[in-house]
């Protein structure tokens, strides 16, 4: 895979031009350790007296659970203990619901009364050896009474008899409806309308390291210690405390290296609770559970699938007046995260376009499939796909260039901050500039000429665009914590509430601190998360591009507080005015007189060992903790508008917390593909991304995020799909059947950027950890349709992934119709 990023050509302004360490493409400090295998993933940890966990999982998608007999497993030599759903129900509470507040959760970490999807945990065993544990679960006798599986989400919405949860009396557990603007008038005044049905499949980012946990319970102190790879440390602390009935100060959560997360590891309640319960029954010995790949595919979680009926009203000049969106979301068999994919769509309902008249009708439906869980973008890939495909459909109908129709509908650059119909407020952007730069890079006009020439020779290339907004920097009311300490010898240690899961936090935090304290970032240590020492909040962790929001803000706040203290002490020692003090290269010196200086070690010595040298009012010690966010974050939504449809974050804030993002980065994607009309084979010839994530702290890390995002999106667009048969059996439970893009499928990706600083960020940044995974779904679909356009007819891609089989059938149908006419 080749790529391009001109690190030295990043647009600078008076703020970024003054940076010494921020804005520089430093290689990640943690990479050397990881590449040499000096890692601390859960499976690497050497903890004495380990016992091993195996989990028995349901072979049925839907069945009554009549009896679980553990006696056979308990007789196996080496087995220490075993538990089932009755055990869990007796000593724990149900798994908390995140978004749906109207129904009472019934799920425990192990199944009770019914099993509701293939792979649901039924019982668990602890043994002295992993193989013994696996053998023992085969000795557990379970009596099932199979039931008809609920698989079709559209049928499930209106089902009157077959329910995933009998007590709910429905499978449609959530319904959002909103009417913004005057939709009826938009359709009455339209020159044309069109209606299409499209869908998005269920998929997952499948991190290389599956879910993993080691649990140890001290029966004397009644303290539970967990070593795990959870992303959302705050939610784990809050959720486990609730489920286990334990105060948070009796739960110690330690998160070291994480082998990728992508959302799937945000709320692993089931394995963490199972391991915790087992650890409480082993007389102080720790228990270890490492999910295997098949378990991960069956039960760790996946996206919600969606069926979308889109009706759009527009003028003959390409101006879109409004649209109606009716959607049915398949959230699998759990309330745990159900409804979130639906609610998140309201945040980006009109994308990058100035469309004010919208009707949104959304159903959240349960089926007997794996529960939905967060996955890179949560709902945003679907919303971008809907809007960008809608724009393309209108362009096709009007025979208008897809770039031109976007220009005619973009939110103008002078309209920011821009309040969307749903009450979210975009902070900054210049969408025409993004598209213009992307088209320049790909040489769009020349490419169109080349496309026409190639078609004459029987070679069909297509060009697909996607221009969109992607919310970032987490939800606007989230807060984070960090502590920064200069120790007695002048060394700097930081401890954040958010773990690094390969996202470069260690390096970026160091760059921010180094900028404020005038030291080399490589001299800074960033510790792993440990709830006994790390400041944390209910929102702590890594998700939704959160690092660019509250994480950066509190790092700046703590570093600035520490700088002020260092400056005060240095000025006192140097007998200078604090406003004349500068920090650089680990020295504190007087401006214009660099021979007069004190080292950071000397400042620390004075602070920790000789308080008499401290200025009046300055206390000994050099440590600052910041918890919070910028107050500007609340400007991300309109308090006097209908900003909330459905409820979010009820686990930590209660129903009704707004779902607006703190910042709104944006992107333009251009895909160039070639379609083989005889085989349906698709080849990506070129892929261009121009993004706007505001100012950039580390261009190299940003490029890594952009490239990795794009590969995820390409996989979803072309390859990835969880497939269930009519009985609810998962047919894609390994990488033999669930296809991922390899280096052979990944194209040349050229990335560049436009910078519009965010006014909500103290340094003008926006998030970049999810956005580029959204564009390929639409850009590649649009490119394929553009490639086969010469065949004529109105043949469109209605579902993902875009497999060779689908392209082949589309081409053959188009050719057949052309031959008839």
């Amino acid at each position: 895979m080749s790529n391009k990023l001109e690190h030295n050509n990043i647009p600078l302004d008076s703020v970024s031009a003054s940076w010494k360490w921020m804005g520089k493409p430093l290689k990640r400090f943690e990479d050397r350790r990881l590449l040499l295998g000096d890692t601390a993933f859960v499976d690497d940890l050497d903890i004495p007296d380990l016992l091993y966990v195996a989990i028995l999982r349901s072979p049925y998608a839907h069945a009554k659970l009549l009896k679980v007999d553990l006696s056979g497993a308990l007789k196996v030599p080496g087995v220490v203990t075993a538990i089932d759903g009755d055990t869990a129900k007796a000593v724990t509470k149900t798994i908390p619901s995140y978004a749906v507040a109207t129904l009472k959760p019934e799920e425990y970490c192990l199944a009770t009364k019914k099993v509701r999807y293939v792979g649901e945990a039924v019982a668990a065993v602890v043994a002295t050896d992993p193989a013994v544990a696996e053998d023992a679960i085969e000795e557990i006798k379970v009596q099932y009474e199979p039931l008809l599986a609920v698989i079709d989400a559209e049928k499930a919405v209106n089902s009157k008899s077959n329910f995933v949860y009998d007590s709910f009396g429905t499978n449609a557990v959530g319904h959002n409806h909103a009417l913004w603007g005057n939709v009826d008038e938009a359709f009455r005044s339209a020159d044309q309308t069109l209606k299409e049905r499209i869908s998005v499949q269920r998929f997952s980012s499948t991190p290389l390291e599956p879910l993993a946990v080691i649990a140890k319970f001290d029966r004397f102190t009644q303290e539970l210690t967990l070593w795990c790879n959870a992303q959302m440390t705050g939610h784990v602390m809050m959720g486990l405390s609730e489920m286990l009935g334990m105060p948070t100060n009796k739960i110690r959560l330690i998160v070291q290296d994480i082998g990728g997360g992508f959302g799937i590891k945000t709320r692993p309640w089931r394995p963490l609770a199972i391991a915790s319960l087992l650890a409480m029954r082993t007389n102080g010995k720790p228990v270890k559970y490492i999910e295997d790949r098949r378990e991960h595919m069956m039960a760790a979680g996946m996206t919600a699938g969606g069926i979308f009926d889109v009706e759009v009203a527009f003028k003959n000049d390409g101006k879109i007046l409004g649209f109606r969106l009716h959607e049915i979301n398949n959230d699998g068999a759990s309330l745990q995260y159900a409804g979130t994919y639906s609610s998140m769509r309201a945040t980006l309902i009109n994308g990058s376009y100035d469309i004010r008249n919208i009707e949104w009708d959304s159903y959240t439906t349960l089926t007997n499939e794996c529960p939905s869980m967060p996955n890179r973008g949560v709902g945003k890939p679907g919303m971008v796909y809907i809007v960008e495909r809608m724009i393309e459909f209108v362009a096709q109908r009007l025979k208008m260039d897809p770039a031109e129709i976007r220009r005619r509908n973009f939110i103008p650059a002078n309209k920011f901050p821009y309040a969307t119909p749903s009450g979210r407020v975009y902070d900054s952007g210049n969408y025409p500039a993004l598209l213009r730069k992307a088209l320049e890079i790909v040489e769009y006009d020349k490419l169109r000429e080349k496309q026409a020439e190639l078609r004459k020779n029987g070679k069909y290339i297509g060009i697909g665009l996607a221009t969109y907004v992607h919310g970032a920097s987490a939800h606007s009311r989230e807060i984070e914590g960090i502590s920064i300490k200069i120790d007695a010898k002048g060394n700097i240690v930081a401890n954040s509430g958010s773990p690094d899961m390969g996202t470069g936090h260690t390096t970026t935090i160091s760059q921010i601190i180094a900028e404020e304290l005038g030291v080399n970032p490589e001299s800074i240590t960033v510790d792993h998360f440990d709830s006994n020492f790390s400041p944390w909040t209910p929102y702590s962790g890594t998700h939704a591009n959160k690092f660019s929001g509250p994480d950066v803000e509190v790092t700046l706040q703590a570093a600035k507080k520490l700088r002020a203290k260092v400056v005060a002490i240095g000025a006192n020692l140097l007998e200078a005015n604090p406003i004349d003090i500068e920090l650089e290269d680990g020295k504190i010196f007087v401006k214009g007189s660099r021979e007069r200086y004190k080292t950071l070690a000397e400042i620390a010595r004075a602070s920790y060992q000789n308080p008499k040298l401290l200025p009046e009012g300055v206390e000994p010690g050099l440590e600052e903790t910041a918890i919070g966010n910028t107050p500007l974050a609340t400007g991300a939504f309109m308090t006097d508008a209908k900003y909330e449809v459905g409820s979010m974050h009820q686990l930590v804030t209660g129903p009704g917390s707004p779902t607006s993002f703190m910042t709104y980065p944006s992107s333009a994607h251009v895909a160039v593909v070639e379609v083989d009309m005889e085989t349906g084979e698709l080849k990506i010839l070129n892929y261009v991304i121009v993004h706007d994530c505001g100012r950039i702290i580390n261009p190299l890390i940003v490029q890594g995020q952009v490239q990795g995002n794009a590969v995820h999106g390409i996989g979803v667009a072309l390859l990835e799909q969880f497939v269930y048969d009519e009985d609810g059996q998962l047919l894609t439970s390994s990488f033999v059947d669930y296809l991922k893009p390899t280096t052979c499928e990944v194209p040349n990706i050229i990335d560049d950027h436009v910078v519009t600083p965010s006014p909500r960020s103290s340094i003008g940044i926006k998030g970049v950890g999810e956005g580029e995974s959204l564009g390929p779904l639409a850009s590649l679909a649009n490119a394929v349709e553009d490639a086969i356009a010469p065949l004529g007819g109105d043949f469109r891609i209605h579902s993902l992934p875009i497999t060779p089989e689908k392209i082949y059938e589309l081409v053959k149908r188009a050719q057949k119709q052309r031959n008839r006419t």
Side-chain angles (χ1 to χ4, degrees), residues 20 82 130 151 180 206 246 393 433 465 535 710 726 758:
K20 178 176 182 178
I151 299 300
W180 297 296
T206 58
M246 297 180 67
F393 295 154
L465 309 182
E726 61 184 9
S758 171

Side-chain angles (χ1 to χ4, degrees), residues 790-805:
L791 297 181
D794 193 17
F795 294 98
R796 292 172 176 155
I797 292 168
H798 292 104
S799 65
L800 301 176
I802 311 167
T803 62
E805 292 86 353

Side-chain angles (χ1 to χ4, degrees), residues 394-571:
V394 174
Q396 291 170 1
R397 172 73 69 85
L398 296 173
K399 295 181 171 52
M400 182 178 290
D401 187 284
E404 180 59 28
I405 196 168
R406 285 170 169 80
R407 295 188 191 101
R408 295 187 184 191
N409 287 282
F410 276 145
I411 299 167
N414 62 4
K415 274 201 172 185
F416 292 91
Y418 175 86
T420 71
S422 64
R424 279 69 176 180
V425 182
Y426 294 171
D427 49 343
S428 65
N430 190 336
Y431 310 142
L434 281 172
L435 179 58
R436 183 168 57 250
K437 193 166 193 177
L439 296 180
E440 288 171 357
I441 292 170
V442 82
E443 297 184 311
Y444 186 69
D445 292 337
K446 290 182 180 179
L447 188 59
R448 284 295 184 192
E449 293 174 4
K450 180 181 178 182
Q451 180 187 43
E453 287 299 316
L454 288 172
R455 284 173 175 172
K456 294 176 183 177
N457 298 320
K459 193 172 184 179
Y460 295 89
I461 67 169
I463 307 163
L465 309 182
T467 50
Y468 57 94
V469 183
H470 36 102
S473 308
H475 302 301
S476 54
R477 287 187 178 174
E478 295 193 25
I479 63 175
E480 188 51 274
I482 193 170
S483 291
I484 307 173
K485 178 181 180 178
I486 303 174
D487 68 19
K489 295 199 71 175
N491 300 305
I492 302 171
V493 178
N495 205 317
S496 169
S498 287
D500 189 330
M501 57 178 186
T503 42
H505 290 187
T506 298
T507 303
T508 311
I509 287 173
S510 298
Q511 288 179 264
I512 296 170
I513 296 171
E515 193 72 42
E516 290 295 330
L517 298 183
V519 299
N520 189 311
E522 292 190 65
S523 69
I524 297 170
T525 295
V526 180
D527 274 346
H528 64 263
F529 179 86
D530 185 330
S531 61
N532 276 10
F533 304 101
S534 306
W536 62 272
T537 78
Y539 303 102
S540 284
T542 306
H543 79 122
N545 304 279
K546 175 177 152 291
F547 181 82
S548 59
D551 298 55
V552 166
E553 295 297 326
V554 294
T555 303
L556 284 165
Q557 291 164 19
K560 287 178 183 294
K561 289 179 185 178
L562 202 51
R563 177 190 175 94
K565 195 168 185 179
V566 168
V567 166
I569 298 170

Side-chain angles (χ1 to χ4, degrees), residues 337-380:
Y337 204 65
T340 313
Y341 279 79
S342 168
S343 290
M344 293 289 280
R345 294 211 176 89
T347 64
L348 302 173
I349 195 71
N350 59 309
S352 57
Y353 307 104
D354 194 13
I355 304 172
R356 308 299 303 176
N357 307 301
I358 302 169
E359 182 174 6
W360 176 51
D361 193 47
S362 175
Y363 285 89
T364 293
T365 309
L366 299 186
T367 64
N368 290 122
E369 296 181 2
C370 178
S372 68
M373 282 289 281
N375 193 86
R376 206 168 199 170
V378 184
K380 290 182 281 186

Side-chain angles (χ1 to χ4, degrees), residues 35 74 250 289 344 357 397 410 552 677 719:
L35 290 170
L74 292 170
K250 291 292 184 181
Y289 172 68
M344 293 289 280
N357 307 301
R397 172 73 69 85
F410 276 145
V552 166
M677 296 295 191
L719 298 167

Side-chain angles (χ1 to χ4, degrees), residues 1-15:
M1 175 174 63
S2 60
N3 52 64
K4 168 192 170 186
L5 180 60
E6 300 295 341
H7 300 304
N8 296 322
N9 293 330
I10 297 169
L12 299 177
D13 54 24
S14 60
V15 175

